[in-house]
Amino acid sequence: LPKLSSLKINSNIFKTSVLTLNRNVIFFGIVAAFLLLIMQDYIIWILFGNRFVDLNQIYIYFAIIIMLRYLGSVYGLLLTISGNQNIRAIAVSWTLIFVILADYYIIPKYSIIGAAQVLLAAHIILNIIYLYFTYKEYGTIYLVKDKELK
């Protein structure tokens, strides 16, 4: 955080650094999710034993959620750097309210699958909010190089 904040003075270095960071974090998130999916049986067996093999049915949700957490981390960091920590706090608060209310109605009917789906939806919503306000603040979402950086 301090390193990126100090780079904000030089716009091109800041943009290049954030672009590189974002690409690396997204790549790492995809790799982590892929590895979790490939090794799901082994991971569940090590952590919980044979009694929890049924966790396989929700494991894909957790792999995707982990990937989304990686994706959102850079955008959350950018909001903090730009002095928009309040947007992060409000977004997380509203997402938490969404999770509580949705779980209240979804879990009794759809059990653990519904809870996993609500959590996935919450992470999608949070990332959309982060992306929107990052774009609003910086004019880019740092996935491709701007014309002036080429």
Side-chain angles (χ1 to χ4, degrees):
L1 183 63
K3 175 80 172 164
L4 274 179
S5 293
S6 68
L7 292 176
K8 197 171 179 192
I9 296 166
N10 184 331
S11 182
N12 282 342
I13 294 173
F14 177 77
K15 288 179 180 179
T16 303
S17 298
V18 172
L19 177 67
T20 302
L21 175 65
N22 200 26
R23 287 180 176 173
N24 289 337
V25 167
I26 289 170
F27 174 76
F28 186 72
I30 291 169
V31 169
F34 181 72
L35 289 174
L36 286 171
L37 286 174
I38 288 176
M39 300 170 45
Q40 72 181 12
D41 292 331
Y42 186 67
I43 292 170
I44 291 171
W45 181 75
I46 286 175
L47 294 176
F48 305 109
N50 290 334
R51 296 178 307 176
F52 293 92
V53 173
D54 290 342
L55 288 175
N56 281 341
Q57 62 185 336
I58 61 166
Y59 203 82
I60 189 164
Y61 295 108
F62 291 118
I64 294 169
I65 288 166
I66 287 171
M67 184 184 65
L68 289 172
R69 302 256 327 170
Y70 279 103
L71 173 69
S73 66
V74 173
Y75 298 110
L77 179 69
L78 288 170
L79 290 174
T80 299
I81 289 172
S82 66
N84 289 308
Q85 184 67 22
N86 60 330
I87 292 172
R88 287 186 74 182
I90 292 167
V92 169
S93 298
W94 280 106
T95 305
L96 176 61
I97 292 168
F98 165 77
V99 168
I100 292 168
L101 292 175
D103 278 348
Y104 180 78
Y105 293 103
I106 298 291
I107 289 175
K109 186 171 184 178
Y110 297 102
S111 187
I112 196 165
I113 299 285
Q117 291 171 344
V118 166
L119 192 58
L120 177 61
H123 279 82
I124 291 169
I125 292 167
L126 188 60
N127 280 343
I128 288 170
I129 294 169
Y130 281 5
L131 281 166
Y132 171 77
F133 283 102
T134 297
Y135 184 79
K136 190 174 175 185
E137 179 68 30
Y138 295 96
T140 180
I141 57 170
Y142 296 102
L143 291 176
V144 294
K145 284 187 178 181
D146 288 342
K147 292 175 188 153
E148 70 256 12
L149 294 178
K150 291 183 181 178

